[in-house]
Structure formats: structure tokens, C-alpha cells
Amino acid sequence: MSEGSRGNSLAFGQVVIGPPGSGKTTYCHAMRDFLGRLGRAVAVVNLDPANEALPCPCALDIAELVTLPDVMASLGLGPNGGLIYCMEYLEANADWLRDKLQGLRGHYVLFDCPGQVELYTHHESLKNVFGQLAKWNFRLAAVHLVDSHYCTDPGKFISVLLTSLSTMLHVELPHVNVLSKMDLIEQYGKLAFNLDYYTEVLDLSYLVDHLASDPFFRNFRRLNEKLVEVIEDYSLVSFVPLNVQDKQSMRQVMQAVDKANGYSFGEQEHRSLEALMSAAVGADFHFSSTLAVQEKYVQSQDKAVEEEVMDL
């Protein structure tokens, strides 16, 4: 990929980021399969040097360059320091990445990134790698995954909003925030508000009031109000809900990302998408839409209320 060839072709893709356990690797492989069924040539690139148990082979693995266990053993670093070193090493060896990616031209690339939050909120190396990819004519969108169970705890949800906002401002890429594992949200507990309150990040003063009902958080009401003001003043954070087993949910995320990075699919992919969605009523289609989760959740609440009334 020479300097002269950079302007000849565009490559599109996603950098998949987020905290540990948010489902980044699962998302990458599910999205690869989904886009592959639409006829899109997709390649997964593993940029996580700590990811040793990949569920499927990747087109490119950072382990060919550096691994976290080797860094920890040779330099005496812990997991966090080791990951930072690995990203600095990747930045210093950007030519290696450029040469490896040259063989993936013509593919839509999914970059599976590490799960250390500091790498996206204030450390520069991974941000600089993304900047290099842009210079190589990659048109990328950052897909920031957040586990949906944080919605069940108002304090944690405010923290997630702040982390998402910091990531958006630091990474400086078109950004799509995703609430992952929506099919499991009912297992985490009851939501204080409807699901769209969390995805659209509506009036957060209600969250502050809800927190104030807890004796511990009541002492920090003023702090929470100021944190909420910061989030609302930027007015940047919203979420797309995701269940990787639900084709409609995958489609919504795909369309949000395609809009963010400027990808425009052709007529053939449009026909493939229509065929895929028309077949979504089969046995493998678990939810017609994310609203099905919310409707089921509300119905279970209503049923519980009715049972309590009958007991009275």
C-alpha cells in the first residue's frame, strides 16, 4: 500500500471497542456472518493481544506481532501496563499493520480491539493507529459496546454515559454506542424506566431523583446533578440496542454504522437484505425487534401487579 495507491480505493469498516466482557469478539463474528449473508466480503482483524481464545480464525491477528503474555513475562508488567505497551508497540510498527492490511483490500474490515477503557478515554496510541488507518483510506466508525445490565443500576448507567462521552471525544471517529446482550437484560433486574429512556438518553434528572431515594447516593445528589449536566450539555450520547441472535436488531446496528462511516450498499446487497429479513420468521428468529424485549418486560411487570392485587 504505497503512498501513491492510497487514493485509488476506499476501504470501509468498524473499530469495535468497549469494556471487558461487553461482547466485542462475539459481535465481530456475528456481524461478519450477518454481512457475509448479504454478500459483503468481510474480514475480522484481532487487535487484542490478550485475546488468546478466538472463537473463529481471523484474517489478521496481532499475535503475529506481539502478545500480552510475552510482554508481561519479558518486561515484568501487569495486564494493564502490558496492554498499553502492546498498543504503543503496534503504533511504533504501523508499517507491519499497513502491509498486512494490503491483502484485505476489497473487504469490509471489523477491528476487534482490546477491552481496556483507558485506551479509549485518554491514552493516545490506539487513537493514533485509527488515525493511520484513516490516512490509508479506511473509512471507519467506532462501535462502542456497553453491557445492557448497566441500565438496571442508575449509578452505573451515569458512569457508562460519562465513559461513552469521554470515548467519543477522545477517539474522534464517527461513533455508534451499542447496548449489547439485550436478550439477557431481564436476568439483571427491573428497569426503573422504559427501554427508550436509556437508548435515547432522555431527561436524566429522573435518574438523579431515582438515585436520591438511596440513602448512600442522597449525599451525592449535587455531584450527580453536575455529572448529568455535563452529559446533557454535549447532547451526543445515545444507544442502539443489540441482540446478536435477532436479525432485525443486527440490521438496525448495521444501518446505524453504515450511516456513520458513509458506506453505501449496492442493489444486490439490498435484495439480499430483503430476502434475509423475509426469512427471519423462521425458528432462529428469536425477537421480531428490540421492542419485543420491552413488551415482554412490561407484560411481566403488569402480571406481577395483577397477582399482588388479587392477593389483596
Side-chain angles (χ1 to χ4, degrees):
M1 196 181 305
S2 64
E3 287 286 334
S5 66
R6 291 179 188 173
N8 293 336
S9 62
L10 289 176
F12 291 87
Q14 308 174 21
V15 292
V16 183
I17 61 180
S22 57
K24 295 183 295 297
T25 299
T26 299
Y27 168 85
C28 285
H29 291 280
M31 185 58 74
R32 179 183 65 179
D33 294 342
F34 183 80
L35 295 176
R37 295 175 68 178
L38 301 182
R40 197 181 298 189
V42 184
V44 176
V45 172
N46 177 44
L47 292 184
D48 185 358
N51 200 348
E52 297 179 300
L54 297 171
C56 300
C58 294
L60 173 59
D61 191 347
I62 194 177
E64 299 174 24
L65 177 69
V66 63
T67 65
L68 181 60
D70 289 343
V71 169
M72 292 172 61
S74 61
L75 299 179
L77 296 173
N80 291 340
L83 268 175
I84 290 176
Y85 179 89
C86 288
M87 292 302 100
E88 292 174 346
Y89 191 78
L90 175 63
E91 180 188 4
N93 291 272
D95 289 345
W96 173 87
L97 181 61
R98 181 189 61 195
D99 294 341
K100 291 291 185 179
L101 290 174
Q102 189 172 3
L104 299 180
R105 279 297 176 176
H107 287 73
Y108 186 95
V109 185
L110 302 171
F111 294 92
D112 186 3
C113 298
Q116 189 174 358
V117 175
E118 298 96 306
L119 295 173
Y120 314 116
T121 56
H122 59 272
H123 195 262
E124 295 290 332
S125 289
L126 204 52
K127 172 186 174 181
N128 293 338
V129 171
F130 297 158
Q132 285 294 330
L133 290 170
K135 292 179 181 178
W136 302 334
N137 269 358
F138 278 90
R139 297 297 179 262
L140 301 173
V143 178
H144 183 224
L145 297 184
V146 174
D147 198 316
S148 61
H149 86 266
Y150 290 117
C151 295
T152 61
D153 186 316
K156 290 180 180 178
F157 186 65
I158 291 177
S159 298
V160 162
L161 292 174
L162 288 170
T163 302
S164 300
L165 178 59
S166 297
T167 301
M168 295 175 74
L169 296 175
H170 182 72
V171 171
E172 296 181 348
L173 283 175
H175 209 93
V176 177
N177 293 303
V178 174
L179 283 177
S180 63
K181 306 179 185 179
M182 286 301 302
D183 52 319
L184 302 177
I185 192 170
E186 293 174 322
Q187 300 180 14
Y188 299 133
K190 294 182 178 180
L191 299 179
F193 306 100
N194 289 337
L195 186 61
D196 59 351
Y197 177 87
Y198 300 93
T199 57
E200 300 301 324
V201 189
L202 302 176
D203 189 351
L204 296 179
S205 63
Y206 292 106
L207 270 186
V208 176
D209 292 337
H210 191 75
L211 277 173
S213 63
D214 186 312
F216 175 79
F217 286 106
R218 188 179 302 135
N219 297 326
F220 301 96
R221 182 184 180 99
R222 184 64 176 163
L223 173 62
N224 290 325
E225 288 175 346
K226 290 301 179 182
L227 293 176
V228 162
E229 284 181 14
V230 171
I231 297 167
E232 292 184 328
D233 285 347
Y234 277 97
S235 191
L236 291 175
V237 185
S238 62
F239 295 95
V240 180
L242 171 67
N243 169 14
V244 295
Q245 300 177 26
D246 178 3
K247 293 183 179 67
Q248 179 65 26
S249 178
M250 292 290 287
R251 177 187 183 181
Q252 290 172 348
V253 173
M254 178 200 73
Q255 290 175 332
V257 176
D258 284 351
K259 182 179 180 181
N261 66 11
Y263 183 89
S264 178
F265 55 77
E267 184 63 26
Q268 180 57 47
E269 183 170 317
H270 182 66
R271 289 196 295 268
S272 299
L273 180 60
E274 289 182 339
L276 178 63
M277 298 311 299
S278 66
V281 293
D284 63 337
F285 189 74
H286 297 279
F287 298 93
S288 62
S289 68
T290 306
L291 287 178
V293 178
Q294 176 65 15
E295 290 172 359
K296 184 178 179 182
Y297 174 79
V298 172
Q299 288 172 1
S300 64
Q301 281 188 310
D302 293 342
K303 184 177 179 181
V305 172
E306 290 177 2
E307 291 175 352
E308 291 178 2
V309 171
M310 292 300 294
D311 291 339
L312 292 175

